Amino acid sequence: MNKHTKIMVCVLAIFIVGMTLGVAFADPVDAKTFKGKSKYKWKISNSKWTKMKNKAKKEYKKAKKQGRAVVIGYSKGVKVTVTKAGHKYKGTAYAIKNSKGIRCEVRGVKAGLRVSNWGDYYV
């Protein structure tokens, strides 16, 4: 073999070993798990949840400053999969801020059902 060919093979081998070790020891993505009162569960990654919370807080402050009758701040929706007893449902999660705190609410699970980590209700 050529000297240059040996060097290229060694560099390629080191690259492959490095990528394999990187995948093997990678940390799993952190996600916040929410659970509704009626045992619905869903997950949102920490980075998305932080962005959602900040948006809801910003909207809440804006609504309070404007003097609205109902002061609530909503975030933009994030698509999630909601599970209950082995069944999967698609929905859209929102962060909602009011005077009591922030909750995560999922809409579109079933007809008229809104699942929240504070409690489930029908609209």
Side-chain angles (χ1 to χ4, degrees):
M1 260 202 261
N2 228 343
K3 182 179 180 182
H4 296 292
T5 307
K6 289 180 183 177
I7 291 172
M8 290 300 290
V9 169
C10 289
V11 169
L12 185 62
I14 290 171
F15 177 74
I16 291 172
V17 169
M19 292 299 287
T20 304
L21 290 174
V23 170
F25 294 109
D27 292 330
V29 175
D30 290 333
K32 183 156 179 63
T33 303
F34 295 95
K35 186 176 179 183
K37 296 287 183 185
S38 56
K39 298 183 182 174
Y40 285 96
K41 293 181 184 178
W42 63 98
K43 289 184 180 181
I44 301 174
S45 69
N46 284 344
S47 60
K48 282 186 183 179
W49 177 241
T50 302
K51 288 178 185 176
M52 290 170 66
K53 282 194 313 186
N54 291 340
K55 178 71 172 170
K57 286 178 185 178
K58 185 178 175 183
E59 291 292 322
Y60 177 77
K61 286 180 183 178
K62 184 178 173 183
K64 198 171 183 180
K65 187 177 180 182
Q66 291 175 347
R68 293 186 199 163
V70 179
V71 184
I72 295 178
Y74 289 93
S75 70
K76 293 185 178 180
V78 174
K79 300 290 183 189
V80 294
T81 301
V82 181
T83 58
K84 179 181 179 182
H87 295 88
K88 293 183 179 182
Y89 307 96
K90 298 288 183 183
T92 306
Y94 298 90
I96 300 174
K97 166 82 172 112
N98 61 12
S99 60
K100 296 178 183 177
I102 294 181
R103 71 179 186 268
C104 183
E105 179 178 285
V106 180
R107 299 177 187 172
V109 176
K110 289 185 177 178
L113 175 65
R114 293 189 178 175
V115 180
S116 171
N117 58 326
W118 283 7
D120 306 335
Y121 56 96
Y122 286 90
V123 178

